[in-house]
Amino acid sequence: MAEILASLRSLMTSHSPPLDALIVPSEDYHQSEYVSDRDKRREFVSGFTGSAGLALITKTKARLWTDGRYFSQAMQQLSDDWKLMRMGEDPPVDAWMSDNLPEEAAIGVDPWCVSVDTAHRWERAFEKKQQKLVQTSSNLVDEVWKNRPPAEINPVIVHPLEFAGRSVAEKLKDSREKLANEKARGLIITALDEVAWLYNIRGSDVSYCPVVHAFAIVTSKSALFYVDKRKVSSKVSSSMQENGIEVREYGEVSSDVALLASNQLDKDTGLGSGQNGVCENEKCEAEENSNDLTWVDPASCCYAIFSKLNAKKVLLQQSPLALAKALKNPVELDGLKNAHIRDGAAVVQYLVWLDKQMQEIYGASGYFLEGKGAGKKRSDIVKLTEVTVSDKLEGFRASKENFRGLSFPTISSVGPNAAIIHYVPEAETCAELDPDSIYLFDSGAQYLDGTTDITRTVHFGKPSAHEKTCYTSVLKGHIALGNVRFPSGTNGPTLDILARIPLWKYGLDYRHGTGHGVGSYLYVHEGPHLITMRQQARNVPLQVSMTVTDEPGYYEDGSFGIRLENVLVIKEADTEFNFGDKGYLSFEHITWAPYQIKLIDLSLLTPEEVEWLNAYHSKCREILAPYMDKYELDWLKKATEPVSA
């Protein structure tokens, strides 16, 4: 690490102008949360492998900012050259730069790797001491990264209508109507999942995410797709042509954005075939000439693209595709529900297998009985590790219809590792399973008909009274959020407290959000809505047909971690009254896997919570039974037997 920092500092000194600091964000050119290996620049310079964070290198210091999910992990992974800055506790990066860097300091960043929102926030902070954000003409990290992975040529795949549920023509028509309403001439689409959703395509350019490295521009006359053309087969090319989409090279987006800004783009492309709601008459022409704004999403558009536009003629507003994509159509909803049933079956089959293995190899009392492990491994030849068992879970999923891979690296964590919120085990260093410790697994898959995300926490020995109290508090919060009814127009941060109240009673809490949207064979983390304590989260109301997770937790450093997670779908609630004629909403669980009764202190549950638990378990039995063999079904019946407080 020291060598990398020395090389970067040397480039900072020779840069014109010389740089007092260099910012290395986690994001790629599309502001993605998950990036391809060749875009993991922040990981390369710092050694920290979490998905969120920002590195800052000054002439003498190196700082890494990350959020509460990753504090423990960062402390383990950062070398002595680096200092961890805890987001929410330490000063944010813009304030730290403003206060600690000299007057008129030049602070460099690759403008392709930072969003408009973030760049503007930094520039405001820099005004105090006349500091300057410098857009580097090349990425300095790439210059010192000698064995940077090469770009892969992965094929673009057409996502069939039987899974997408809406045609490209319909989606383009809607987008053009929104452009006209906002008096905008063009929309620049930079988020990879939005490009994939709009053009009904998928790919494999980013691990766990079925997306393609591509940009899109939509105007009243044209639709453009910017991608490495080597990824586009003749079949995909024909599909694009049928939908009036012109395929251009990935790098051409830069010059085309400038053409769009000067109203030359449609003239240059020669498009305007009248397809997909394309404007053809004189009235339309006149309207179009008065529409001179370019619409970009300030959270996902990079500063490099924004810098090619006339700032006075830019509509900085959330992409119209973000909400459209989040509102699942009936085909997507059916697909998601079916995918979650198959996924739940895989999780139960895994638990059945793991329970048997823990008893046979470690002499554990097992999933159902409470007792200390036999204290001695019964086999010195076979052992279960966090990685070998998560591979087995992947195998159960891979046997299911429409499986295309995992949706994120499985968090398979024993005892103290479960307290690391986004722990990812490595084969060389991971822990062995322990019959006397909690085991937490957070996992999901990509199926052609939907994306899944589920967390369960189990114990194969005798959990302590404290572990039971913590698990039960997490479960009570999980039930409270999942069962709430709320007025239409309510946003996620308003509901977040419901999942925390049972933990707060004991003075406990957790350092992560409670819910995120889930894509339809797309990203496992999908916006624009969130259930979180952070009030600055985008204030998007929760709406019918959105998906959202319900995942409270509790983590005791060095000891154990607990999290329970289901995916929910928002639906209309059948309430007795309708105050203010707002309409009321509720949640429907679409994840199916039992909660471990042994970890629940039933005396802490209310009669309503017991009733809900029994009803949920009864549905698990009924829904998953067709996927089970006799042994698995007997286990499932036992795991879902009714309880009483």
Side-chain angles (χ1 to χ4, degrees), residues 394-446:
E394 183 174 355
F396 283 116
R397 284 192 161 108
S399 69
K400 301 292 178 274
E401 188 186 3
N402 294 333
F403 176 80
R404 285 295 177 274
L406 300 182
S407 54
F408 57 97
T410 298
I411 298 167
S412 172
S413 52
V414 175
N417 290 341
I420 301 169
I421 296 166
H422 268 222
Y423 173 76
V424 178
E426 302 288 344
E428 306 75 43
T429 55
C430 69
E432 186 173 357
L433 265 70
D434 176 0
D436 298 319
S437 292
I438 269 178
Y439 172 63
L440 180 158
F441 63 105
D442 182 346
S443 62
Q446 295 287 4

Side-chain angles (χ1 to χ4, degrees), residues 136-204:
T136 60
S137 56
S138 64
N139 192 295
L140 301 192
V141 175
D142 294 353
E143 292 185 34
V144 303
W145 194 352
K146 298 298 178 227
N147 52 354
R148 184 178 172 218
E152 291 179 26
I153 310 303
N154 300 309
V156 176
I157 297 153
V158 173
H159 192 49
L161 197 55
E162 66 180 287
F163 297 120
R166 286 187 75 208
S167 68
V168 177
E170 287 178 272
K171 292 176 181 179
L172 281 172
K173 186 169 180 287
D174 283 357
S175 302
R176 288 182 169 125
E177 282 170 7
K178 285 169 181 153
L179 273 176
N181 292 342
E182 295 291 348
K183 302 223 175 316
R185 101 165 29 123
L187 169 67
I188 302 171
I189 302 150
T190 46
L192 298 181
D193 61 334
E194 291 184 8
V195 176
W197 178 84
L198 177 66
Y199 289 160
N200 283 349
I201 52 157
R202 298 294 187 268
S204 54

